Amino acid sequence: MITTFKYNSYWDYETMTGKLKELKALYPEVISIESLGKTKEDKSVWAVTLSKGDKDPKDKPAFYIDGNIHAGEVTGSMCAMYVIDALCTGNEEEDIDYLLNNYTYYILPKLTPDGSDYYLHTANKLRSVNKVYPEEAKKGLVAKDMDGDGVIRLMRFKSGQGAWKISKENPRLMEGRLPQDTKGPFYHVVTEGEVKGDFSLGLITNKSPWGYDFNRNFPFGWYDEKRQPGSGEYPLVHEETKLMANFILSHPNIGFVNALHTSGGVFIYPPGTYSASDAHQKDMEIFKRMGAYAKECTGYNTENIFDAFLADTKNYSSGAFDDWCYESQGIPAFTIELWDAVIRSGVSYDDYRKSMKPSFENIKIYEKQLKWVEENCGPESFKDWEVFNHPQLGEVEIGGFDFKFTLQNPPESLLLQEVEKVGKYLVDSAACLPKLVVEDTKAVEMGQGLYKISVTVSNSGYLPTYLTEKARESGKAQPIKASILGEVECIGEKELEADFLAGFGGITTGYGYDGISSGGTLSPVQVFDWYVKAKAGDKVQIEIVQEKAGKESVSLVL
């Protein structure tokens, strides 16, 4: 895909805002920008609408994308901007022209501009926003760039109670101490930082003062801080999360949600609070089949979060945006974890998942990772251990990976590669949405000024018009409404309803667009019939609408 800008650096709020305004000036017929609201630092949470043609964007099926709900996951913001750029710059290409004329893209590229700027302009890491929560601990280790190299790495220092030892295979790496290890030296390995309070009380790692996690603040599955760290004082307590929820609710044409995160190189789908085996299997099939194209574009696997990643299936993470979209609104949702440094290093996907749990067996994964990172990410990506005279701890050694732009996000030299492949998936996949199409219109004179009007409507999309079985179960799924407009005398109701139309993803053997169904399967086609009193030459206007599948209008001259 062609773009206006280069993707070889990370953009802060000011730079991103300038790029959006430039695209608006270049392509006013494609892009509109609005501020949903302001943050504590008076930055706008921008919402971008991309659409083309005469139709109101709200009258088309809509594909939603957001990025950077977690401050440090800045690749998501860059990928969202890449999609905006590609749709604007390539809007006259045949494929993109078709997508923009038939679908709407809603993109919120930087959900936490305050936190993102703090992450980009300091050495510190944080989850969502640079706002203190909960109250900062009075003592313990606080992350800080002690040696002044601009990166917060790791510190190691000798201790008889240390859980780590220097690897015999590669002394640049640390490996877990075996249960049988009694001969040292052994080390504590901690985040680079300073110590507050009386260190003699023991090694206490201070909680980050920036404890809020926006992706634990949504109403479905919300728990308080004791059960779910970072969840906030109550659901949607943050201006940013409230704006997100309100945007979804005020745009009922949204039919698929994509939340861009890092890292791991995987497409994750709900439910996140119970096993996929206990969910609606038709919905799970949607995610798997969408994931097949995701794999083709990106090489990433598609996994259910609960089954693939949760070590504790009782005290699981919850209050997530994708779960709220699916469970409460019936909208299918992917959380896309961009950047797969560990898998690129030659670690199998299964071993990568195991490596997320601390183990002395992970040294082989660390070795592969170090080799790949140094060959592909530049010399600054890993620093050998260097002695440092720590003001509280005495002699320590500082070294290790540049976590922020090696493991959490790609180095700038590999950024384009990452956003380009995920961007292609996102641009193309709007076509999965349900879409109303008027297949045929007929007006038959019945005699004595009576006409029978028939309109045949189909769903040309992969998804059904109700989107998910969850939406049907919850009552969120809306019927299709077909109406004769204006001062036309109808024998019967002007407004007709039909429940739902299948998408081609639900068509089974022996079942086609002729409306013949088997086993109670939904049809992808519906015929609406009206009887009207009129005369030859009269014009009749008909409107067909379903909030997820769009609005179509047709005129007939009798």
Side-chain angles (χ1 to χ4, degrees):
M1 292 186 287
I2 58 171
T3 57
T4 296
F5 306 118
K6 293 181 179 179
Y7 292 81
N8 55 8
S9 63
Y10 291 94
W11 301 341
D12 63 9
Y13 169 78
E14 183 178 359
T15 302
M16 184 197 75
T17 299
K19 304 285 189 185
L20 287 173
K21 291 180 178 179
E22 189 172 341
L23 289 171
K24 172 64 177 172
L26 290 169
Y27 305 103
E29 73 283 6
V30 174
I31 180 174
S32 61
I33 306 165
E34 63 175 317
S35 173
L36 299 182
K38 293 294 187 76
T39 66
K40 296 292 184 184
E41 296 180 3
D42 199 37
K43 298 183 177 84
S44 287
V45 176
W46 297 116
V48 178
T49 300
L50 298 123
S51 178
K52 193 175 176 182
D54 296 332
K55 274 191 180 181
D56 189 307
K58 286 191 174 183
D59 291 339
K60 302 178 188 179
F63 202 62
Y64 171 96
I65 301 165
D66 69 44
N68 222 170
I69 192 172
H70 288 146
E73 298 175 5
V74 287
T75 312
S77 177
M78 295 306 298
C79 185
M81 285 300 302
Y82 178 89
V83 173
I84 293 168
D85 190 346
L87 288 169
C88 286
T89 309
N91 82 88
E92 294 184 359
E93 294 182 353
E94 183 178 355
D95 290 348
I96 292 180
D97 177 72
Y98 171 82
L99 290 167
L100 288 169
N101 274 291
N102 287 278
Y103 306 95
T104 296
Y105 295 81
Y106 296 126
I107 304 180
L108 280 56
K110 195 180 282 285
L111 293 170
T112 175
D114 295 354
S116 176
D117 274 7
Y118 183 83
Y119 180 90
L120 289 171
H121 294 303
T122 73
N124 291 314
K125 295 175 284 187
L126 73 162
R127 191 59 166 159
S128 283
V129 68
N130 48 326
K131 182 169 68 173
V132 174
Y133 172 81
E135 185 179 354
E136 187 177 357
K138 304 299 183 186
K139 58 190 175 185
L141 184 75
V142 180
K144 185 178 180 180
D145 175 21
M146 301 299 293
D147 61 4
D149 70 347
V151 178
I152 295 175
R153 301 182 190 268
L154 294 175
M155 291 193 311
R156 71 183 186 189
F157 54 93
K158 292 179 182 178
S159 170
Q161 292 77 46
W164 296 87
K165 62 184 181 182
I166 295 174
S167 171
K168 291 180 180 179
E169 301 297 324
N170 189 337
R172 304 170 71 200
L173 294 172
M174 305 297 289
E175 61 180 293
R177 180 178 174 181
L178 295 168
Q180 297 82 6
D181 281 339
T182 56
K183 295 183 72 173
F186 302 115
Y187 292 80
H188 285 306
V189 179
V190 297
T191 299
E192 180 183 353
E194 63 181 350
V195 177
K196 301 176 76 172
D198 185 358
F199 184 72
S200 66
L201 295 175
L203 184 66
I204 300 171
T205 300
N206 197 342
K207 286 185 177 180
S208 167
W210 322 127
Y212 283 113
D213 187 337
F214 286 174
N215 205 35
R216 300 292 177 264
N217 188 235
F218 289 88
F220 182 83
W222 182 90
Y223 289 98
D224 64 21
E225 178 70 18
K226 290 182 180 179
R227 167 64 172 74
Q228 176 58 70
S231 61
E233 294 86 345
Y234 53 86
L236 304 181
V237 65
H238 309 288
E239 182 66 15
E240 295 88 340
T241 56
K242 189 187 303 179
L243 291 173
M244 291 173 67
N246 286 340
F247 189 87
I248 296 292
L249 295 174
S250 63
H251 293 79
N253 57 329
I254 291 173
F256 209 105
V257 161
N258 302 269
L260 304 180
H261 290 239
T262 65
S263 60
V266 63
F267 282 62
I268 297 171
Y269 62 90
T273 58
Y274 54 95
S275 172
S277 62
D278 296 325
H280 292 288
Q281 293 309 296
K282 288 183 180 179
D283 294 352
M284 300 303 99
E285 186 63 23
I286 288 172
F287 294 124
K288 291 173 185 175
R289 292 184 67 178
M290 292 290 289
Y293 184 61
K295 179 87 170 180
E296 182 181 323
C297 291
T298 67
Y300 294 171
N301 282 7
T302 300
E303 302 280 353
N304 171 252
I305 178 85
F306 189 90
D307 294 331
F309 293 102
L310 298 188
D312 185 346
T313 55
K314 291 184 178 180
N315 299 299
Y316 46 78
S317 295
S318 58
F321 177 61
D322 56 359
D323 260 346
W324 176 75
C325 289
Y326 174 68
E327 299 282 359
S328 298
Q329 304 304 312
I331 304 171
F334 270 140
T335 292
I336 306 174
E337 299 283 356
L338 289 87
W339 186 232
D340 53 348
V342 179
I343 296 171
R344 285 174 182 238
S345 67
V347 176
S348 73
Y349 190 76
D350 286 342
D351 283 345
Y352 164 63
R353 282 166 54 183
K354 292 175 187 175
S355 76
M356 299 173 75
K357 302 173 185 178
S359 169
F360 53 78
E361 298 171 342
N362 288 344
I363 184 61
K364 293 178 181 177
I365 292 175
Y366 301 151
E367 287 174 341
K368 288 182 179 180
Q369 195 172 327
L370 174 58
K371 183 176 185 295
W372 185 87
V373 163
E374 290 199 313
E375 290 176 354
N376 294 275
C377 299
E380 68 283 355
S381 60
F382 186 90
K383 179 178 181 177
D384 286 331
W385 298 100
E386 293 182 358
V387 173
F388 178 78
N389 187 22
H390 194 282
Q392 293 93 26
L393 301 178
E395 184 176 294
V396 302
E397 293 174 82
I398 296 175
F401 290 103
D402 175 1
F403 174 81
K404 289 171 64 169
F405 296 104
T406 298
L407 303 182
Q408 188 176 23
N409 298 282
E412 291 179 337
S413 61
L414 296 177
L415 177 59
L416 173 61
Q417 182 186 110
E418 197 65 21
V419 301
E420 190 173 38
K421 65 184 184 181
V422 177
K424 174 175 172 51
Y425 166 82
L426 292 168
V427 167
D428 293 349
S429 291
C432 78
L433 298 170
K435 184 178 182 301
L436 295 180
V437 174
V438 176
E439 298 278 357
D440 190 30
T441 58
K442 290 181 181 177
V444 178
E445 185 177 5
M446 309 296 290
Q448 297 182 335
L450 182 67
Y451 285 82
K452 179 183 179 182
I453 296 173
S454 299
V455 176
T456 303
V457 180
S458 73
N459 171 18
S460 67
Y462 167 71
L463 292 174
T465 57
Y466 60 86
L467 296 182
T468 63
E469 296 299 320
K470 178 62 73 173
R472 294 178 77 175
E473 176 187 80
S474 65
K476 293 292 183 181
Q478 295 297 305
I480 302 163
K481 294 183 178 181
S483 306
I484 287 184
L485 306 179
E487 300 300 321
V488 177
E489 184 181 352
C490 279
I491 310 301
E493 298 294 328
K494 281 189 174 183
E495 182 177 280
L496 306 177
E497 284 191 4
D499 280 345
F500 310 112
L501 293 180
F504 67 81
I507 296 174
T508 57
T509 303
Y511 173 77
Y513 281 94
D514 57 5
I516 300 170
S517 62
S518 60
T521 305
L522 283 173
S523 171
V525 179
Q526 175 70 41
V527 179
F528 294 96
D529 294 324
W530 295 267
Y531 291 89
V532 301
K533 285 278 193 178
K535 60 182 185 296
D538 283 353
K539 185 178 180 181
V540 177
Q541 185 79 17
I542 297 169
E543 181 181 271
I544 304 97
V545 61
Q546 200 277 341
E547 63 179 21
K548 304 298 183 185
K551 181 191 289 186
E552 292 294 323
S553 298
V554 61
S555 296
L556 292 89
V557 177
L558 303 178

